[in-house]
Amino acid sequence: MSDYFSLYKTMLLIRRFEERLLAEFSTGKLVGTTHTYIGQEADAAGIFSVAGADDVIFSNHRCHGHFLAYGGDPYRLAAELMGRATGLVGGRGGSQHIQWRNFYSNGIQGGIVPVATGMALVEKAQKTGNIALVFIGDGTLGEGSLYESLNIAALWTLPLLIVLEDNHYAQTTPSEKGVAGSMTGRFAAFGIPVWERETADVLEVRLAATEAIQRVRSGAGPACLLLHTYRFSAHSKGDDPRSPEELTRIRQFDPLNVHAKRLPSAEIEQAETEVAPVVNDAFARADADPFPSLRDY
Amino acid sequence: MAVTVLDSLNHALDHAMDTDSRVYLLGEDILDPYGGAFKVTRGLSTKFPERVLTTPISEAGIVGVANGMALRGLRPVAEIMFGDFVTLSADQLVNHAAKFRWMYNDNVRLPLVVRTPMGGRRGYGPTHSQSLEKLFLGVPGLKVVAPNALGNPGDLLLAAIAEEDPVLFVEHKLLYTRPLLEPGQGELADYEIQEFSEPYTSYVLRIPNYAPCLTIATYGYNFELARAAALDLMMEHEAFCELVLFSQLSPFGLQPLAASLRRTGNLLTVEEGTLSLGWGAEVAARCVEAVEGLRVRRVAARDLPVANAKSLEDAILPSVQDIVNAALELVGR
């Protein structure tokens, strides 16, 4: 199948998985909270189509899309979200705290960045040729440990790519109330080059990611991939202050629609046909799995 | 020249780096010729230049980077220059280091040591004199270990470096220049000493052939004060103490302390952290739950910041006389 098809299918898998996830909250099969990736799919699909198989990934609270694009198992993710013993981390972590192979996530804003910096140091010290990628958002720009990490990563020429997904809102707070000055200027101050794109086109993301990753892998030090994007859903579940007009406007920038124009309609249908059973199977199997217990402690 | 606590720790780091290429040191101002604010890392950057990393003043960054290193197979030892600054890395210790292994269902290990000097009595004032380890006691997934001048502090540090889980290693500043104490010799000549629970050894010290009326539990530098108080109680008041010296503060087991308390029926805890909701409070609570009829007193710092002026600092931090007074009150003399 074509490369374009595969990018589309990755984005569609994320979209359908997240839609199903939100739907399962109303059936009572999911409790707690979650942060969906709907609207931002082009970022993960584009980046992971060019990241190295052994690169180290540190993701954040909004990690499902990153994990699925990384190649993670939708069933193990669904099981984790539903609090089952078969989940990625046995039900201990839930939506924001997952780990599989070289993929890690944590729900603390900013705190993950120095950790990813240390991971990059290991890849450099061991001369593996791998890099570390850490995903942050516009909201993370308020956290001090981000800047400590940028300073250290630049001083020590570490192979770290900071992926900044600016979806314009830190939970309910718009960037203009949370981010002073320039986003790119923050990185420039540390001598860290920025690839900046305002796009919902997965091919544009992929091209920028290719260049930024190449730069980091070359040993030239950290880089930033700054992607201005839109999330279509609430931050988590019931916290969306945006007007219907704004939501309608941003829905024009749907990465699935942008990329679908490049595919024959038969492939669009095929993608739906292939993704639907994967998502159904993930949630149905997870629903039949046992809950974990504390008996081992 | 006698081996000091500082020598012991420095030699341990040297040995760890020499025998395991996964061991890295990182911290502020740790490069030679300065060798760290308290000189614990002196000589190591000369010997292992690739693996001793001097950092910006970024305590969260230091511990965060060390967390990432530990998650991916190295054995970092991070130094926080003053224990007071460990609050700046609290998020990394509590929400990252201590959680990853459990939260990721034991998929990962995090062999991290964070070393830091705590304690006062050097006139450094409110933000360079505290004993803040109490803030990190009881954090699931984080061990807190404190060396003392008995046994070998370097062995404790090597045990911490060999762990698969994070350890906060709390070194009292006044210990650094102290010569190591030898069981059966010098100040310890009169004591019979039992050791418990490797690798972070606890000790029970008693005067043979005299029935003890009181158990003093303590850790770190305050063992020096507790010994001085025990001597005074013996010489001036004919009150004999058992001393129980902890090395692992959190999590902690009740033995050998509970066995000692069943002999004496009286517990006095001594610590340099502030009194309220501190180490002694938890030790006392656990012991009262386990030992029927136990009587308890705590000696600790007043619930105030540590003042700069010596007269105030001395009044705020626990003294030998405070320990003697509390002991006499406890045993009813």
Side-chain angles (χ1 to χ4, degrees), chain A residues 11-274:
Chain A
M11 293 194 290
L12 188 69
L13 172 65
I14 297 169
R15 176 71 56 93
R16 296 291 176 254
F17 185 95
E18 297 285 53
E19 287 170 348
R20 174 68 175 264
L21 179 57
L22 289 172
E24 293 289 359
F25 270 97
S26 52
T27 68
K29 285 178 182 164
L30 276 124
V31 292
T33 194
T34 195
H35 308 85
T36 65
Y37 202 62
I38 295 171
Q40 302 182 209
E41 294 92 340
D43 300 352
I47 291 164
F48 284 102
S49 71
V50 293
D54 294 324
D55 287 343
V56 185
I57 314 302
F58 222 118
S59 178
N60 51 41
H61 59 294
R62 200 177 305 285
C63 62
H64 311 159
H66 303 149
F67 177 75
L68 294 171
Y70 178 71
D73 184 348
Y75 154 65
R76 298 282 313 280
L77 178 59
E80 186 60 37
L81 300 169
M82 295 169 88
R84 307 305 165 121
T86 51
L88 287 164
V89 289
R92 292 180 182 182
S95 173
Q96 307 182 63
H97 320 93
I98 59 176
Q99 199 282 322
W100 181 69
R101 293 191 179 169
N102 281 359
F103 187 100
Y104 306 76
S105 78
N106 200 2
I108 298 287
Q109 286 297 313
I112 63 172
V113 189
V115 180
T117 305
M119 291 171 152
L121 185 150
V122 176
E123 299 306 320
K124 181 180 178 179
Q126 298 181 342
K127 300 184 170 64
T128 61
N130 301 322
I131 69 170
L133 291 85
V134 62
F135 287 84
I136 62 172
D138 47 293
T140 323
L141 297 176
E143 293 286 1
S145 63
L146 167 66
Y147 303 97
E148 295 189 14
S149 306
L150 297 181
N151 191 37
I152 290 172
L155 282 168
W156 297 353
T157 327
L158 298 179
L160 177 70
L161 178 67
I162 299 109
V163 180
L164 166 50
E165 292 181 273
D166 166 30
N167 64 19
H168 304 280
Y169 282 89
Q171 190 156 351
T172 65
T173 303
S175 306
E176 58 267 26
K177 287 193 193 297
V179 182
S182 151
M183 287 192 191
T184 55
R186 285 165 161 75
F187 296 90
F190 296 98
I192 296 175
V194 180
W195 276 259
E196 181 180 22
R197 298 290 184 278
E198 177 156 9
T199 183
D201 183 348
V202 67
L203 295 186
E204 279 191 51
V205 171
R206 183 168 71 168
L207 185 60
T210 302
E211 292 173 10
I213 288 172
Q214 227 163 39
R215 152 94 185 187
V216 173
R217 209 182 298 285
S218 76
C224 171
L225 178 61
L226 168 49
L227 301 170
H228 303 286
T229 181
Y230 295 103
R231 74 169 145 77
F232 296 165
S233 301
H235 164 74
S236 47
K237 289 185 303 174
D239 45 4
D240 200 338
R242 297 172 296 184
S243 68
E245 294 74 30
E246 183 177 358
L247 291 174
T248 307
R249 184 181 65 76
I250 66 173
R251 286 253 176 203
Q252 298 172 73
F253 307 103
D254 186 327
L256 284 168
N257 295 342
V258 169
H259 191 56
K261 295 192 177 74
R262 302 190 178 102
L263 271 70
S265 60
E267 287 192 12
I268 308 277
E269 279 169 37
Q270 186 188 340
E272 291 284 3
T273 313
E274 288 181 14

